[in-house]
Amino acid sequence: MSTLKETLERYAEDFDLFETPDEKFEYIFDLGKKHTTLPEEEKNDTTFIEGCASPAWLVGECRDGRLILRGEGTSEMAKGMLTLLLDIFSDRDPDEILSFEPKELGRLGIVEHLSPVRQQSMEAFLNKVYDYARKCKEGRQ
């Protein structure tokens, strides 16, 4: 299994293949086609990602000391970004997540092309991920 940084690097290499922001967004939309959904009962106030541009939910479960993340977004962009970010952050040791510097996501070459609202959405997602990772590390999940 690859590390968080190795997974990020793999995506950075993929994004490097595209010359324009539009091509990179198309790649994100294609990732969204692999998007999963959550059961209705898991879409609630606790899992709702406050501050996202479109409704999105994130479920975090601690299993055998690893944080397992699942999520659902409603817009094409949210579906793609969630698929990308879940692949990067899910099934990790909480310490690996908590030691990750969010600005490293800039290596993807896409963050700077996101609208301010979408950048806020990504920040809201990351805040929820770090919250779940802290709870997992403390054994509260």
Side-chain angles (χ1 to χ4, degrees):
M1 171 174 270
S2 60
T3 66
L4 190 155
K5 289 186 180 184
E6 289 168 344
T7 303
L8 177 68
E9 193 54 42
R10 188 183 77 233
Y11 277 113
E13 289 170 8
D14 287 352
F15 278 110
D16 282 346
L17 298 173
F18 304 108
E19 293 180 22
T20 68
D22 285 347
E23 290 173 322
K24 292 178 183 196
F25 287 130
E26 279 302 314
Y27 178 66
I28 290 172
F29 294 147
D30 283 346
L31 286 174
K33 293 175 182 164
K34 301 178 201 166
H35 185 66
T36 57
T37 58
L38 294 172
E40 283 304 312
E41 64 271 9
E42 288 187 325
K43 293 191 271 185
N44 55 49
D45 290 345
T46 304
T47 60
F48 186 75
I49 304 173
E50 203 65 53
C52 264
S54 58
W57 298 265
L58 184 65
V59 174
E61 299 171 275
C62 201
R63 283 192 218 142
D64 301 320
R66 296 180 73 77
L67 181 60
I68 310 300
L69 298 166
R70 295 177 293 110
E72 180 178 339
T74 53
S75 72
E76 293 306 306
M77 178 60 98
K79 289 176 183 179
M81 288 300 289
L82 269 169
T83 301
L84 169 73
L85 294 168
L86 288 172
D87 193 32
I88 292 171
F89 288 100
S90 188
D91 198 11
R92 306 276 176 215
D93 181 282
D95 285 327
E96 184 181 15
I97 294 168
L98 294 169
S99 66
F100 179 77
E101 183 58 51
K103 69 178 178 226
E104 288 187 56
L105 289 172
R107 292 175 43 218
L108 297 174
I110 191 69
V111 177
E112 67 271 19
H113 299 296
L114 296 174
S115 69
V117 170
R118 293 283 180 211
Q119 288 183 18
Q120 259 183 293
S121 297
M122 193 166 77
E123 193 176 310
F125 169 87
L126 290 172
N127 287 339
K128 200 147 188 77
V129 168
Y130 287 119
D131 187 46
Y132 281 132
R134 280 189 291 276
K135 288 177 181 171
C136 184
K137 183 177 177 173
E138 295 166 8
R140 293 189 289 137
Q141 220 174 13

